[in-house]
Amino acid sequence: MVETTLHSISSVTSITHVTFTMIVALGIPWDANSSYLRGPALAPEKIREAYHSPSSNYFSESGLNTAQEGVWHDAGDVAFNSEIHFAEAISETVKKNVFAPNQLIAFGGDHSVTFPLLQAMFELHGPVNILHIDAHPDLYELFEDNQYSHASPFARILEKGFAKRLVQVGIRTLNAHQLQQARRFGVEVVEMKDWSSDLRWHFDGPMYLSLDMDAIDPAFAPGVSHHEPGGFTSRELISLLQNLKGKMVGADLVEYNPLRDINGVTAMLAAKLFKEMIGFLSRNPY
Ligand code: MN
Ligand code: MN
């Protein structure tokens, strides 16, 4: 009788498996594909500095202490030189540092870096669902004769078949050409004028988040190259991240331009979003 009881207790008291997914963060000091202003190459250093600033603490709003050992690992910055194409430098560095079940957070750089980041994600996971938050659709077939322009990464990603599905949010610069491109590739565009905090998305399969800092209103994030009024408040964007669900393989935080910042407010916002991304990826392993 005692034995049976013990047995039944042990059969229901299963070991709680803690899903332990180390997040690998990689700085990307690259801005040579910027069309208007340089500066995002300086972002990784400034975001690290703001993350460690004693003016705040390391907790994400979910209650996770992001400074706790094992939560994330700083893999340093991608090294660039004239011998190797920028895209290869990025995708190879990701593949050297990120192994399943690691999740990637890439930070810094202009938006051209998302193409090689997605190339690496594709090689690791196959086509992924992408949630792209930006003032701009970045779908130009060709911009100023540069196929790698920061205005074109999502055209390249779609041509290569790296995206299973692309949802764009926060868009407020949709011109005729990019509307045509969105239709051509079946992009789901949620323009800022149509956005509501009630919107939810369900993504089937691996998911990647690409966050361009200029999605946020320039009143909240002046440290970007392209000031496009009418964007998200900091709170709206943080809440959007907190309400997302999915099997996250990675995320990027791009287009922070320290040369345009005022008193480091955008650096602190980038560091805050970085902490929220860590919280969000930790809650959503794949
Ligand atoms: Mn962009
Ligand atoms: Mn943008």
Side-chain angles (χ1 to χ4, degrees), residues 85-228:
H85 193 266
F86 89 100
E88 201 185 327
I90 293 170
S91 57
E92 291 304 314
T93 308
V94 171
K95 286 188 283 174
K96 272 183 205 136
N97 287 280
V98 181
F99 305 94
N102 296 156
Q103 295 162 300
L104 167 73
I105 296 182
F107 62 104
D110 65 40
H111 219 154
S112 69
V113 308
T114 300
F115 169 59
L117 290 171
L118 260 298
Q119 163 133 23
M121 292 293 103
F122 174 77
E123 288 174 28
L124 289 165
H125 308 288
V128 297
N129 297 292
I130 305 170
L131 180 65
H132 167 208
I133 307 175
D134 199 329
H136 313 93
D138 295 348
L139 283 168
Y140 280 94
E141 170 74 33
L142 193 61
F143 198 82
E144 293 174 346
D145 270 340
N146 178 6
Q147 62 171 316
Y148 296 106
S149 169
H150 74 155
S152 300
F154 292 92
R156 300 293 87 80
I157 286 163
L158 292 159
E159 287 163 2
K160 292 278 190 182
F162 297 162
K164 186 176 176 190
R165 182 180 168 200
L166 174 59
V167 177
Q168 300 186 321
V169 183
I171 310 301
R172 46 194 189 276
T173 54
L174 193 58
N175 60 7
H177 168 67
Q178 294 191 94
L179 177 60
Q180 191 183 34
Q181 287 282 84
R183 286 184 179 150
R184 174 183 164 204
F185 290 111
V187 181
E188 297 161 65
V189 182
V190 181
E191 288 186 75
M192 197 70 220
K193 67 183 173 63
D194 302 321
W195 178 79
S196 137
S197 61
D198 300 328
L199 285 174
R200 296 286 184 276
W201 299 273
H202 173 76
F203 294 96
D204 193 18
M207 183 184 164
Y208 183 92
L209 170 71
S210 184
L211 174 57
D212 182 324
M213 289 293 291
D214 69 30
I216 304 151
D217 196 277
F220 296 86
V224 296
S225 300
H226 302 263
H227 289 161
E228 194 64 44

Side-chain angles (χ1 to χ4, degrees), residues 242-269:
Q242 290 170 343
N243 290 323
L244 275 177
K245 285 188 180 68
K247 295 179 189 306
M248 297 301 305
V249 293
D252 64 49
L253 179 64
V254 297
E255 294 286 345
Y256 166 49
N257 184 345
L259 301 177
R260 298 268 271 179
D261 207 357
I262 300 168
N263 295 330
V265 292
T266 317
M268 285 310 290
L269 178 56

